[in-house]
Amino acid sequence: MSEFLPTGIQVAYLVAASLFIIGLKKLGSPATARNGNLLASVGMLLAVVATLLDRQVLNYEMILAGIAIGSLIGAIAAQKVAMTAMPQMVGLFNGLGGAASALVAIAEYWRLLGNASAIAPDSNISIILSVFIGGVTFTGSMIAFAKLQGIMSGAPIKFPFQQTLNILLLVGFGIASVYLLVSVPNPTVFLGIIGLSLVLGVLFVIPIGGGDMPVVVSLLNSLSGVAASAAGFVVMNNVLIISGALVGASGLILTQIMCKAMNRTLPSVLFSGFGTAEGTA
Amino acid sequence: MTESLIGALFVFVLASFTGFEVINKVPPTLHTPLMSGANAISGISVIGALIVAGDRSWNLSIILGLLAVVLATINVVGGFLVTDRMLQMFKKKEA
């Protein structure tokens, strides 16, 4: 919908994307890390201001109120959190980001439904992917948060036929997605895939032990990048696609580095809960 | 539409390669701050949220969009602030 943004806004997006790349690079080295974080936050501010100047964004009062509420909650949470509780805080923030990406896709689906014409297959695929990845990131991160915070036991939760259930739910998701792609838009089936995504996120994280949660948070962080990128395909916005892909890829590399530091491999972290029960926590 | 989709796919793939290349040899103390900083950047979905919440009308799309604005802003603001707090402590330790 924002394919024909004025040039100035596109240039601002380009600068923002560059700042994210430089910021990430600098975050990897102790001497420049703080500066890198600052550069990335300037990039974000630039992207937000540029978007607000867009002619399509009219709903200023409500949006500014939303930004104010979000900033306040974010700032208070960031101030109050104990240094030892950082991984779960990142997990919590990450989950909210994933939820936001999914909500963008759901909102766009609803808007397209209102237009009453058939939804183009490429929009449809982007929306389904965004809902799925965003939904899994959201509930998965919430479980990771609960485990690290001690709200939930850190022990792996396993039950009979867990893997069978996972596969059945995934197959169900696949069937529902194909149905949405080939038939007329159907809000009930769409609600179904939202629900399945949320359930799959929970099932993905509960069999993993508390000791491995930081790695899982890192992986979910990578996923939330992919979710943002998918949301970028939904609204056809380059800065979302670039930043999301950037976080998706760098997050994956970081996850592997973290696994290596713990002398583990990623598959052993993810599937230890399924196959051979290793004591990890 | 298809042409813009292909263009978007190019952007996606090239940005992914950039992401792979930008991270190398991170010291273990920086793992959590880097994760947190990257997480704040993934809050970029706030831009998508602003776009879908942009219409001046009241319907479910706008409400969902506004909710997404709030959630993504928490992610962005909280994420950057928390990263800075961690890095601040890191610096003090060195001094």
Side-chain angles (χ1 to χ4, degrees):
Chain A
M1 62 197 278
S2 56
E3 285 163 78
F4 306 108
L5 284 185
T7 320
I9 292 173
Q10 292 290 8
V11 171
Y13 282 167
L14 185 60
V15 174
S18 309
L19 283 172
F20 292 150
I21 296 173
I22 300 168
L24 268 180
K25 178 93 195 156
K26 288 191 164 207
L27 269 167
S29 150
T32 54
R34 221 179 148 194
N35 186 243
N37 187 49
L38 186 69
L39 283 181
S41 61
V42 170
M44 187 65 73
L45 185 66
L46 187 64
V48 169
V49 171
T51 309
L52 286 176
L53 293 176
D54 182 0
R55 274 169 300 138
Q56 285 175 326
V57 178
L58 301 167
N59 196 7
Y60 283 109
E61 305 88 342
M62 295 307 294
I63 283 178
L64 289 177
I67 292 180
I69 295 170
S71 304
L72 194 69
I73 298 175
I76 292 173
Q79 279 308 314
K80 289 241 157 120
V81 62
M83 274 297 164
T84 47
M86 282 302 171
Q88 52 264 51
M89 202 66 211
V90 176
L92 184 64
F93 287 150
N94 188 47
L96 298 182
S101 299
L103 282 172
V104 168
I106 298 169
E108 182 69 5
Y109 188 81
W110 223 261
R111 198 182 66 85
L112 292 172
L113 265 185
N115 288 354
S117 58
I119 297 172
D122 47 356
S123 311
N124 223 337
I125 292 175
S126 314
I127 288 172
I128 291 170
L129 277 177
S130 187
V131 167
F132 178 65
I133 307 171
V136 167
T137 309
F138 172 53
T139 49
S141 300
M142 290 304 143
I143 298 290
F145 167 76
K147 283 198 171 195
L148 283 165
Q149 186 72 27
I151 299 171
M152 219 174 120
S153 154
I157 297 173
K158 286 174 239 179
F159 50 85
F161 302 113
Q162 192 160 12
Q163 216 160 356
T164 319
L165 177 68
N166 288 341
I167 291 167
L168 279 177
L169 289 177
L170 267 177
V171 169
F173 184 89
I175 293 172
S177 306
V178 171
Y179 178 81
L180 282 178
L181 281 175
V182 296
S183 75
V184 288
N186 184 327
T188 317
V189 177
F190 189 69
L191 280 177
I193 73 159
I194 298 174
L196 278 174
S197 312
L198 296 176
V199 172
L200 279 164
V202 173
L203 289 172
F204 165 57
V205 179
I206 56 168
I208 304 172
D212 285 332
M213 274 306 132
V215 174
V216 173
V217 171
S218 175
L219 186 68
L220 287 166
N221 173 43
S222 165
L223 260 189
S224 79
V226 181
S229 209
F233 277 93
V234 172
V235 295
M236 273 299 160
N237 184 302
N238 273 338
V239 77
L240 270 172
I241 296 174
I242 297 175
S243 321
L246 205 58
V247 174
S250 62
L252 200 58
I253 298 288
L254 182 64
T255 309
Q256 278 206 310
I257 296 177
M258 287 171 81
C259 279
K260 234 181 229 168
M262 294 168 68
N263 270 325
R264 304 282 308 269
T265 61
L266 191 53
S268 78
V269 169
L270 294 183
F271 302 115
S272 63
F274 291 116
T276 53
E278 298 172 52
T280 49
Chain B
M1 191 65 198
T2 320
E3 207 169 298
S4 71
L5 179 70
I6 296 294
L9 278 173
F10 266 90
V11 167
F12 174 75
V13 172
L14 294 178
S16 300
F17 277 109
T18 311
F20 279 128
E21 292 302 322
V22 98
I23 304 294
N24 44 28
K25 280 197 211 140
V26 183
T29 38
L30 279 182
H31 287 175
T32 312
L34 178 59
M35 174 169 87
S36 172
N39 169 50
I41 294 176
S42 74
I44 189 74
S45 44
V46 70
I47 303 297
L50 291 176
I51 294 171
V52 293
D55 275 339
R56 191 182 276 282
S57 61
W58 275 110
N59 58 46
L60 187 63
S61 283
I62 305 297
I63 296 169
L64 293 175
L66 285 171
L67 183 59
V69 169
V70 175
L71 297 183
T73 311
I74 297 176
N75 186 188
V76 168
V77 174
F80 281 124
L81 287 177
V82 141
T83 311
D84 195 60
R85 260 190 79 195
M86 278 188 261
L87 294 169
Q88 225 172 325
M89 196 186 72
F90 188 67
K91 214 178 168 187
K92 269 183 209 152
K93 248 187 196 169
E94 264 186 337

